[in-house]
Amino acid sequence: MELVKQSRVNQNNDSKTVRILHTIAVLMVLAGAGASIGFTIHTGRNNPSILLILLFTGWVVSPFIALLLINVVSRRSEPFNRLILHSLMILITLGSVILYSGLWSPPGAKTAFVYLVGPLLSWSLMGTILIAAKLSPSR
């Protein structure tokens, strides 16, 4: 009887942790997407091509949209997989904002390089980690 009560307590704590991390991750992704759009528009402000700025903005914001969509789809997945997803959301958001803000940039790289490679790295990281989480044994 005691083991059953203890198991329920652990499940409630796990779901509370997952809910808190979920809230933090979603808010960070939304703020990070907004900041990334702002950095993209600010960087391209002197470019006369509106279409090019829109294309860059769409490419930069695409990982954030994908993370939010994956978050909605994975609501009923295992808590361990949701924790991985929420951690990934926070990691990609922090990395993107640092990259687009100019705090870190590869030496000698042109400005457009960061906005082309940043989303590509995000997509690669998302694919690798989410596939690994999906293939891992259930916890």
Side-chain angles (χ1 to χ4, degrees), residues 96-112:
S96 296
V97 169
I98 289 170
L99 191 64
Y100 302 141
S101 70
L103 290 175
W104 182 84
S105 153
K110 296 195 181 230
T111 307

Side-chain angles (χ1 to χ4, degrees), residues 62-127:
S62 66
F64 298 106
I65 293 170
L67 285 170
L68 291 173
L69 290 174
I70 293 168
N71 181 50
V72 169
V73 171
S74 70
R75 286 216 186 256
R76 296 185 183 189
S77 64
E78 296 290 323
F80 177 73
N81 289 344
R82 288 195 319 257
L83 284 172
I84 289 174
L85 173 63
H86 302 325
S87 301
L88 180 64
M89 291 168 75
I90 292 169
L91 176 71
I92 286 179
T93 300
L94 289 174
S96 296
V97 169
I98 289 170
L99 191 64
Y100 302 141
S101 70
L103 290 175
W104 182 84
S105 153
K110 296 195 181 230
T111 307
F113 176 80
V114 170
Y115 292 93
L116 287 172
V117 174
L120 181 64
L121 291 174
S122 296
W123 278 104
S124 300
L125 186 63
M126 277 191 298

